[in-house]
Amino acid sequence: MSDVRHVLVLPDRDTAEEVAGELADRFGVAEEPQLVRDALAGEDDAEDAQWLVVVEDADGRLAPSALDELAAEYEGWLEAP
């Protein structure tokens, strides 16, 4: 199976860090998720940035629906591949 990358979109850095921790607790994600600041198009203000949590899923064992539910608990969502 090819590597799968899941991208969760969250409202701010603190939330993204919290979700990254939850991924290890809930899903046993061993590899540290990558946090990426995603400035909204045309916005320079840091307050208008979303944060992405990028999760590598080499074994394809993470259910997108479960990841989407986790993100939704933090007012975020799972980006469609």
Side-chain angles (χ1 to χ4, degrees):
M1 181 170 207
S2 63
D3 287 0
V4 178
R5 176 178 289 155
H6 301 286
V7 178
L8 288 75
V9 182
L10 297 147
D12 57 55
R13 183 182 184 120
D14 290 344
T15 305
E17 290 174 348
E18 199 169 328
V19 168
E22 279 291 311
L23 286 165
D25 295 345
R26 287 196 205 183
F27 302 106
V29 173
E31 190 175 324
E32 185 75 22
Q34 182 181 359
L35 301 182
V36 180
R37 181 178 178 271
D38 182 35
L40 299 175
E43 297 291 339
D44 294 329
D45 188 352
E47 295 301 313
D48 291 324
Q50 295 172 324
W51 282 80
L52 309 179
V53 177
V54 181
V55 186
E56 299 294 337
D57 185 16
D59 301 328
R61 63 182 187 82
L62 297 174
S65 59
L67 294 173
D68 192 44
E69 286 176 20
L70 171 62
E73 290 175 27
Y74 293 88
E75 298 179 8
W77 65 89
L78 177 66
E79 192 72 13

